[in-house]
């Protein structure tokens, strides 16, 4: 016999739903697409008007008393109606406040001002959307006035002659040589001034190299974050392909001593010397999350005081070719690698003639003062496949436009 008692009084528990109604308008500062015609319907504000009391006492004249006894023409048969129907050719003078209402606001040079009790006038705020935060209104007014001044300055004629360009360049050198460092202050820290200046120059030592910036979602390697790992700045990223998917294989040395010795030999190595091989072991695969092909505002910057004596003091820069964000690739046993290496042996190999020629061409951009003139003399192929040599525009199929002659026959 069971002693369990059931307290269920009803077989089915009744549940009443209470759904919330849809909001009558989008929330504040959130752009939700809606039909603007719903705001033009009179029923849109019925709820607001019904809930808003009107603390007004309206008399029979609706708050606007009108004394009709001031116009005699309404009560006399032969009265003068000039006050009610003035002559269009001889209109009475208007009050200054009424005259302002008849003007076109778009033709005013300055915005309309609101007179205050202190005698000063404050301009009206610019047109802003509904429910805009008030702390941005004054800032927008300042930005609009500054932009108007800038537009006026841009409208001024600019001398683009060759002599004017030379004068502008010379003025830049004069300003840099006579610059007072004590007048340069930090934009955010008060009281901090400049103590030394550097010439910004291209880094000819590394200009021929192409640099990419890789960012990892997690620290690579198997060591924890709080442990120093000197192997990370000499790792190897090898492009891989599996079933049409492209990713990168990541390699590191086994020991820290191998990485330190590899870096020392790389900086101390001279042409023609033999060096030993260094083994890099496979760690894991990484896949690209984001690739930026153009990086216009990030550079490699080296501040050199000139202590080595090989070059003068300056800030030497090199542009970054691409930026990539990497994340760990999920391991799949079914992946078929076209060419996977578990160990990579790295050693120094002398450059071939083609590689040296390509390097010298890239280095000439910052070393050869006549680099641009040599490119103009050799001719550059544009997007349409045409070469401009000596004022003659020549197509890739052999046709030439210009004075031509012998050059046209050669191509």
């Amino acid at each position: 016999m069971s002693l369990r008692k059931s307290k269920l009084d009803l077989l089915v528990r009744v549940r009443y739903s209470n759904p919330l109604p849809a909001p009558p308008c989008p929330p504040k500062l959130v752009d939700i697409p809606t039909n603007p015609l719903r705001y033009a319907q009179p029923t849109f504000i019925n709820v607001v008007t019904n809930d808003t009391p009107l603390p007004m006492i309206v008399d029979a004249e609706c708050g606007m008393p009108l004394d009709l006894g001031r116009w005699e023409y309404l009560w006399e048969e032969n009265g003068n109606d000039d006050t009610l129907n003035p002559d269009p050719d001889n209109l009475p003078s208007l009050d200054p406040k009424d005259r302002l209402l008849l003007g076109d606001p778009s033709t005013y040079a300055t915005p309309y001002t609101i007179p205050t009790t202190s005698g000063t006038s404050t301009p009206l705020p610019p047109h802003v959307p509904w429910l805009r935060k008030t702390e941005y209104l004054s800032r927008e007014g300042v930005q609009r006035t500054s932009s108007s001044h800038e537009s006026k300055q841009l409208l001024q004629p600019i001398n683009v002659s060759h002599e004017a360009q030379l004068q502008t360049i010379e003025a830049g050198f004069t300003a840099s040589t006579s610059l007072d460092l004590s007048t340069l202050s930090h934009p955010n820290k008060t009281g901090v001034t400049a103590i030394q200046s550097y010439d910004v120059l291209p880094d000819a030592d590394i200009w021929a190299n192409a640099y990419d910036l890789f960012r990892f979602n997690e620290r690579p390697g198997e060591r924890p974050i709080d442990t120093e790992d000197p192997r990370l700045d000499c790792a190897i990223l090898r492009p891989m392909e599996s079933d049409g998917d492209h990713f990168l294989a990541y390699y590191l040395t086994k020991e820290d001593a191998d990485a330190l010795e590899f870096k020392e030999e790389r900086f101390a190595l001279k042409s023609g010397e033999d060096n030993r091989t260094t083994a890099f072991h496979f760690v894991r695969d990484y896949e690209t999350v984001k690739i930026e092909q153009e990086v216009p505002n990030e550079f490699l910057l080296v501040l050199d005081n000139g202590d080595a004596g090989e070059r003068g003091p300056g800030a030497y820069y090199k542009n970054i070719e691409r930026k990539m964000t990497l994340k760990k690739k999920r391991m799949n046993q079914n992946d078929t690698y076209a060419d996977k290496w578990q160990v990579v042996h790295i050693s120094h190999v002398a450059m071939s003639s083609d590689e040296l020629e390509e390097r010298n061409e890239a280095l000439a951009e910052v070393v050869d003062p006549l680099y641009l003139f040599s490119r103009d003399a050799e001719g550059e192929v544009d997007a349409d496949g045409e070469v401009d040599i000596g004022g003659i525009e020549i197509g890739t199929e052999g046709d030439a436009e210009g004075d031509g002659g012998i050059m046209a026959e050669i191509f």
Side-chain angles (χ1 to χ4, degrees):
M1 179 177 180
S2 176
L3 300 178
R4 184 179 178 181
K5 296 182 180 180
S6 177
K7 296 183 179 181
L8 183 60
D9 298 331
L10 299 177
L11 295 178
V12 178
R13 180 175 296 178
V14 180
R15 295 182 180 179
Y16 299 94
S17 61
N18 186 17
L20 296 176
C25 58
K28 184 179 180 181
L29 300 179
V30 177
D31 185 15
I32 298 179
T34 182
N35 186 9
L37 296 179
R38 63 194 296 263
Y39 300 106
Q41 299 177 0
T43 58
F44 179 72
I45 58 174
N46 286 345
V47 179
V48 180
T49 55
N50 294 334
D51 296 341
T52 304
L54 300 177
M56 295 173 53
I57 301 177
V58 182
D59 53 4
E61 296 176 343
C62 296
M64 299 178 62
L66 182 60
D67 188 6
L68 299 179
R70 298 177 54 184
W71 292 276
E72 300 177 355
Y73 173 73
L74 297 176
W75 310 103
E76 298 178 2
E77 293 183 359
N78 297 324
N80 187 9
D81 63 342
D82 292 341
T83 56
L84 290 177
N85 300 315
D87 187 6
D89 299 332
N90 187 17
L91 296 175
S93 59
L94 295 175
D95 188 88
K97 297 180 181 179
D98 298 335
R99 189 182 299 112
L100 181 63
L101 298 176
L102 297 178
D104 187 4
S106 61
T107 59
Y108 296 156
T110 57
Y112 174 70
T113 57
I114 303 175
T116 58
T117 55
S118 59
T120 60
S121 59
T122 58
L124 286 175
H127 174 69
V128 294
W130 185 57
L131 288 179
R132 184 66 179 274
K133 288 187 176 182
T134 56
E135 58 262 27
Y136 298 115
L137 300 185
S138 59
R139 188 183 305 174
E140 284 192 357
V142 174
Q143 292 178 355
R144 292 194 178 190
T145 54
S146 60
S147 62
S148 62
H149 291 298
E150 293 177 358
S151 61
K152 292 181 180 179
Q153 294 178 359
L154 293 176
L155 294 177
Q156 298 177 359
I158 301 175
N159 188 3
V160 294
S161 61
H162 184 68
E163 293 76 10
Q165 296 181 18
L166 293 178
Q167 292 177 1
T168 304
I169 296 173
E170 293 295 337
F173 286 105
T174 304
S176 61
T177 54
S178 60
L179 181 63
D180 187 7
L181 296 180
S182 61
T183 59
L184 298 178
S185 59
H186 197 276
N188 299 328
K189 301 178 181 179
T190 58
V192 179
T193 58
I195 59 176
Q196 189 177 0
S197 64
Y198 293 91
D199 295 333
V200 181
L201 303 171
D203 196 342
D205 295 341
I206 61 174
W207 191 264
N209 303 333
Y211 291 92
D212 295 340
L213 180 61
F214 294 90
R215 292 179 177 176
F216 295 84
N217 290 340
E218 301 177 3
R219 178 179 174 177
E222 70 282 357
R223 298 182 184 179
I225 299 178
D226 54 353
T227 304
E228 184 180 0
D229 193 350
R231 308 173 301 165
L232 299 181
D233 56 351
C234 62
I236 295 177
L237 287 171
R238 181 170 178 260
M240 299 291 295
E241 188 269 335
S242 173
D243 297 334
D245 296 334
H246 297 272
F247 52 94
L248 298 174
Y250 189 77
Y251 294 84
L252 287 175
T253 58
K254 282 290 186 182
E255 304 296 336
D256 296 348
D258 296 337
L260 296 175
E261 188 176 355
F262 172 77
K263 287 185 285 186
E264 291 177 359
E265 291 184 356
R266 184 177 59 179
F267 288 111
L269 186 65
K270 297 182 180 179
S271 59
E273 294 184 358
D274 296 332
N275 66 318
R276 70 180 187 88
T277 61
T278 304
F280 287 80
H281 298 264
F282 174 76
V283 178
R284 68 170 304 117
D285 295 328
Y286 286 89
E287 57 184 356
T288 58
V289 179
K290 181 180 180 181
I291 301 177
E292 298 182 24
Q293 296 290 347
E294 296 181 0
V295 189
N297 299 324
E298 295 189 21
F299 304 89
L300 297 175
L301 190 63
V302 177
L303 297 180
D304 192 351
N305 295 325
D307 299 335
E310 297 180 358
R311 58 184 181 182
Y316 296 91
Y317 72 93
K318 175 65 174 75
N319 62 306
I320 297 176
E321 301 292 339
R322 295 175 301 177
K323 287 174 58 177
M324 298 184 187
T325 303
L326 306 181
K327 72 174 183 179
K328 294 181 179 179
K329 185 178 182 298
R330 181 175 297 179
M331 297 182 181
N332 189 359
Q333 300 295 334
N334 298 326
D335 290 343
T336 57
Y337 294 91
D339 187 12
K340 184 176 181 179
W341 299 343
Q342 294 295 336
V343 182
V344 177
H345 297 276
I346 300 296
S347 61
H348 177 265
V349 178
M351 291 187 180
S352 62
S353 58
D354 295 338
E355 293 174 345
L356 285 175
E357 184 180 357
E358 183 179 357
R359 179 180 177 83
N360 294 333
E361 288 181 357
L363 193 60
E365 185 178 357
V366 295
V367 174
D368 187 6
L370 303 178
Y371 173 74
L372 296 178
F373 296 97
S374 62
R375 290 173 64 91
D376 294 340
E378 294 175 0
E380 293 296 328
V381 180
D382 56 10
D384 296 330
E386 296 176 344
V387 185
D388 188 7
I389 299 180
I392 306 171
E393 186 171 335
I394 303 172
T396 56
E397 296 180 359
D399 54 334
E401 297 176 5
D403 296 328
I406 300 176
M407 296 299 296
E409 294 179 0
I410 293 176
F411 280 87

